[in-house]
Amino acid sequence: MLGASTVMSFYRTYRPRVLEEIDNASVRQSVELLLTKPKSQLPHAYLLSGPKGTGKTTTARVIAKLFICMKPKKNGAPCGTCAECVAIADGRYMDVLEMDAASNRGIDEIRSLRDGIALAPSLGAYKVYIIDEVHMLTNEAFNALLKTLEEPPPHAIFVLATTDPQKIPGTVVSRCQHIPFVRASTPDLMHALARIVKEEKISIDEEALTLITGNAEGSFRDAVKSLEQVSFHKGNISVAVVQKTLALSESSRRETFLAHLVAHDGGAALRDIQKLVQDGVDTKAFLVDCLIELERRLVSDVMTKKEGAIPSGLRDLVSRLTQAYGELRSSPIPQLPLELAVVEYCENKAISIKQKEINASPITSRLSPVNKTHEEINNPTAGLLTLEKLSEHWHDVIDELKPFNHSVAGVMRSTRPKDVRNGIVTIEAFYKFHQEKLSETKIKEMIGTILNKLFGEKVKVEVVLGKK
Ligand SMILES: [Zn+2]
């Protein structure tokens, strides 16, 4: 399956490896300033802070190379090509130890790190400790780290990275050279894209690149990801190509999907999911994105306390999607929990609307005139399959459908067979989006195949919209 890893390969391949390639201009200048002093006089601790996707980890590795590179350039900058530089870039150099504080919050890790620090580096003159998401450390772990920062052995260098510098004790911050990362500016993003365009020999218009950088919201990761997506286009990449691709970008997918849900257009929302799966989008990540967005709306609605602004629908949607998230791990089909959540959410609303309509209408209009349906039901069909037989085995039909398409099977649960005659099986759906979904040619064919398999009869399938 195509996943995030496939789409992110440009981002990995073209991570800045040397100082000149650091795309963030202000960061590049801060690191360049380090070249003006001999290594022995450089600070032993650095704090890189800023939003995700702005290049902190990459820069941390460039700083590590600055100390370790065996063939530095004339100005002292790392070469990026010696065995040491390459190993550091790949994260496999013995004396550059990378640690993710988000998963190692404990004091034990910091203690063992502290014990290891006393030992001399195994290869060169320096040992570099890169601690990512350092704000996640516990207070005890921070205290242990602080003791180390107070008296570091001459060979130890610390590069701490964080998205949340406010959470780091001032005592730690004061011992570090702070390099703040801001969201990438347009020239920064251009700097990053130009390098890839050149290396990959991509033919793309200047305006098309500008459109990509404009949409990246200051994130190198997003800009590079978009460039990679459009790079699959054969021939020159114009603004139109980029526009078409960006329309499929993650954020616009999410907005479209949520808009369909808010409008209770289950059919459209199911189609959105189908498209996600086709395009190899990670369903889990997509679901998390949706929940983050809904949580933001929920909180903002509650905070502003607009009258009637805390719709129970929004709450219901959040809880259904959260439940779907919990079921992801055990689901044999990644998108299934999401699809079921959509069907149930939209169905639930449809029922409550219907209920309201019924309650609001005068009793006379609720009595529909007797139609001929009942007589028709009793008419024999040309073949052996009868409505009775089909009704009796409707659950079996649904069970047989499941392995082919879970979401269709889910929709079929709220339908019933209406008529069997002249080789045509008519299914009655009670929601427009169910009827639309089941009326797709390939779905009708699939149901026909199942019916043939179960009852040994070739039939055509029709789906009508009925009233409950
Ligand atoms: Zn080197």
Side-chain angles (χ1 to χ4, degrees):
M1 194 179 108
L2 282 171
S5 62
T6 334
V7 179
M8 294 289 282
S9 65
F10 271 7
Y11 188 67
R12 273 202 209 110
T13 312
Y14 294 103
R15 268 182 194 285
R17 289 179 173 242
V18 289
L19 209 158
E20 309 82 80
E21 286 178 354
I22 293 178
D23 297 303
N24 204 315
S26 67
V27 171
R28 194 167 61 237
Q29 283 152 13
S30 304
V31 181
E32 271 165 0
L33 277 178
L34 300 175
L35 300 176
T36 57
K37 286 181 186 168
K39 275 186 208 173
S40 56
Q41 287 176 28
L42 289 177
H44 280 251
Y46 301 83
L47 176 64
L48 316 184
S49 69
K52 277 186 181 17
T54 45
K56 296 186 298 297
T57 311
T58 306
T59 304
R61 287 179 179 173
V62 172
I63 291 174
K65 288 175 195 172
L66 185 66
F67 285 93
I68 292 170
C69 175
M70 290 303 193
K71 293 171 186 163
K73 295 174 181 175
K74 266 188 200 155
N75 63 356
C79 74
T81 50
C82 69
E84 286 74 15
C85 280
V86 172
I88 292 169
D90 293 345
R92 54 176 174 81
Y93 186 76
M94 275 181 76
D95 289 331
V96 175
L97 297 115
E98 295 191 23
M99 178 181 142
D100 180 9
S103 49
N104 296 286
R105 301 193 62 194
I107 189 167
D108 288 346
E109 282 79 6
I110 292 290
R111 270 206 191 114
S112 70
L113 179 147
R114 203 176 69 187
D115 296 343
I117 281 170
L119 304 170
S122 17
L123 304 164
Y126 291 98
K127 247 183 178 174
V128 182
Y129 293 86
I130 298 175
I131 307 178
D132 211 1
E133 297 298 352
V134 71
H135 63 273
M136 298 290 281
L137 291 178
T138 59
N139 278 341
E140 282 169 307
F142 266 127
N143 286 336
L145 177 64
L146 187 61
K147 288 209 175 80
T148 319
L149 291 178
E150 278 167 348
E151 290 172 75
H155 63 253
I157 305 296
F158 289 88
V159 187
L160 315 177
T162 181
T163 48
D164 201 349
Q166 307 294 334
K167 288 193 184 140
I168 298 174
T171 43
V172 171
V173 177
S174 68
R175 291 183 193 278
C176 297
Q177 164 115 356
H178 192 177
I179 305 180
F181 284 59
V182 287
R183 289 207 169 276
S185 67
T186 305
D188 291 345
L189 293 169
M190 278 294 189
H191 187 270
L193 296 186
R195 197 153 39 89
I196 302 172
V197 165
K198 194 178 159 212
E199 290 291 322
E200 291 282 322
K201 299 188 174 67
I202 298 170
S203 165
I204 182 165
D205 295 342
E206 184 83 26
E207 298 83 45
L209 276 178
T210 311
L211 185 56
I212 291 179
T213 56
N215 265 278
E217 291 173 7
S219 160
F220 287 115
R221 205 171 299 185
D222 288 355
V224 172
K225 209 161 133 185
S226 299
L227 178 65
E228 180 153 24
Q229 279 167 344
V230 299
S231 72
F232 293 114
H233 178 80
K234 290 195 180 81
N236 184 60
I237 299 159
S238 61
V239 168
V241 173
V242 174
Q243 273 167 340
K244 204 175 155 209
T245 311
L246 291 180
L248 296 174
S249 73
E250 250 67 338
S251 62
S252 67
R253 277 181 201 276
R254 186 188 62 221
E255 291 309 313
T256 311
F257 176 68
L258 292 179
H260 286 147
L261 282 180
V262 170
H264 295 278
D265 189 346
L270 288 177
R271 278 193 292 277
D272 293 338
I273 298 173
Q274 227 169 39
K275 189 86 184 71
L276 287 180
V277 175
Q278 273 168 16
D279 296 346
V281 174
D282 180 357
T283 324
K284 187 177 175 185
F286 179 76
L287 185 49
V288 171
D289 269 1
C290 289
L291 280 168
I292 291 171
E293 173 59 22
L294 289 173
E295 188 259 359
R296 195 189 59 74
R297 289 185 197 179
L298 193 68
V299 169
S300 120
D301 279 359
V302 174
M303 303 273 267
T304 52
K305 283 187 188 149
K306 276 178 277 172
E307 199 167 336
I310 311 157
S312 60
L314 183 54
R315 224 164 43 200
D316 182 31
L317 185 56
V318 170
S319 73
R320 280 179 199 276
L321 292 183
T322 307
Q323 195 190 337
Y325 180 83
E327 288 163 3
L328 275 176
R329 193 199 291 251
S330 59
S331 170
I333 302 166
Q335 68 273 25
L336 177 63
L338 186 55
E339 287 172 334
L340 284 177
V342 166
V343 170
E344 283 165 13
Y345 175 70
C346 293
E347 199 168 75
N348 195 34
K349 188 67 178 184
I351 289 168
S352 66
I353 288 171
K354 194 133 253 167
Q355 202 58 46
K356 268 185 205 158
E357 280 170 3
I358 290 170
N359 293 343
S361 65
I363 192 147
T364 44
S365 71
R366 269 189 263 153
L367 298 166
S368 55
V370 179
N371 56 32
K372 289 186 177 173
T373 324
H374 292 288
E375 285 169 40
E376 284 162 6
I377 285 170
N378 293 324
N379 281 350
T381 58
L384 295 167
L385 182 61
T386 61
L387 182 63
E388 286 75 20
K389 201 170 164 186
L390 186 54
S391 302
E392 192 185 323
H393 293 283
W394 197 235
H395 282 288
D396 299 322
V397 175
I398 294 166
D399 284 346
E400 281 294 318
L401 268 166
K402 263 190 221 161
F404 288 90
N405 191 319
H406 258 76
S407 67
V408 169
V411 170
M412 286 281 279
R413 270 187 219 114
S414 32
T415 64
R416 68 173 175 222
K418 188 182 188 216
D419 193 14
V420 181
R421 66 170 61 208
N422 304 329
I424 297 171
V425 167
T426 308
I427 298 171
E428 193 173 29
F430 300 96
Y431 306 110
K432 200 160 176 12
F433 72 88
H434 283 174
Q435 188 210 0
E436 281 171 4
K437 173 86 188 162
L438 298 176
S439 296
E440 286 170 24
T441 311
K442 62 173 186 177
I443 305 283
K444 286 201 291 188
E445 281 171 7
M446 183 169 71
I447 299 169
T449 310
I450 299 290
L451 292 174
N452 188 15
K453 187 182 159 198
L454 285 177
F455 304 104
E457 198 162 335
K458 273 193 180 168
V459 289
K460 273 196 169 177
V461 174
E462 291 298 338
V463 187
V464 297
L465 188 61
K467 280 187 186 160
K468 254 189 172 166

